[in-house]
Amino acid sequence: MKDCSTYISNLCDYIDGDLDPELCKQIETHLGECPDCKVMLDTLRQTVKICREDGRCEELPEELSRRINVRLRERWQQKFGKK
Ligand SMILES: [Zn+2]
C-alpha cells in the first residue's frame, strides 16, 4: 500500500478536479479506508473554499499544502510511533 503522503500531495489536484481519473479512483478508495486522510481532505477543501470566496487566491498556496503535509506527518508519528 502506498504511503499516505503520496495521496496527500495529490489532494489539491483532486479537489480541483485536475487529477487523472485513475489516480482519483485510487485516492477515493484510500480515503474510504483512511480516516486521517479523509480529515485532511475535508480540511483542505474547507480551506480552499474559504480562500476562494475571499477572492484572495485562485490556487492553494504551496506554503499551505506544505504545512498540511507536515501536520499530517506529525499525526502519523503520534499514531504509529516514530518511523
Ligand atoms: Zn491515508
Side-chain angles (χ1 to χ4, degrees), residues 4 30 34 37:
C4 286
H30 179 73
C34 181
C37 283

Side-chain angles (χ1 to χ4, degrees), residues 56-67:
R56 272 186 304 197
C57 55
E58 305 253 305
E59 312 246 323
L60 190 70
E62 220 170 278
E63 170 65 23
L64 179 64
S65 62
R66 204 171 52 222
R67 239 182 291 155

Side-chain angles (χ1 to χ4, degrees), residues 21-76:
E22 188 56 38
L23 203 50
C24 261
K25 227 191 282 172
Q26 285 179 31
I27 287 181
E28 274 161 13
T29 307
H30 179 73
L31 289 171
E33 316 171 322
C34 181
D36 281 343
C37 283
K38 184 82 169 46
V39 168
M40 208 45 67
L41 175 67
D42 290 343
T43 309
L44 205 53
R45 223 174 223 158
Q46 285 264 334
T47 311
V48 171
K49 189 165 171 274
I50 291 165
C51 215
R52 285 193 178 143
E53 278 170 359
D54 281 358
R56 272 186 304 197
C57 55
E58 305 253 305
E59 312 246 323
L60 190 70
E62 220 170 278
E63 170 65 23
L64 179 64
S65 62
R66 204 171 52 222
R67 239 182 291 155
I68 287 171
N69 228 316
V70 168
R71 203 190 302 166
L72 191 69
R73 267 173 227 278
E74 281 167 4
R75 289 181 108 220
W76 294 332

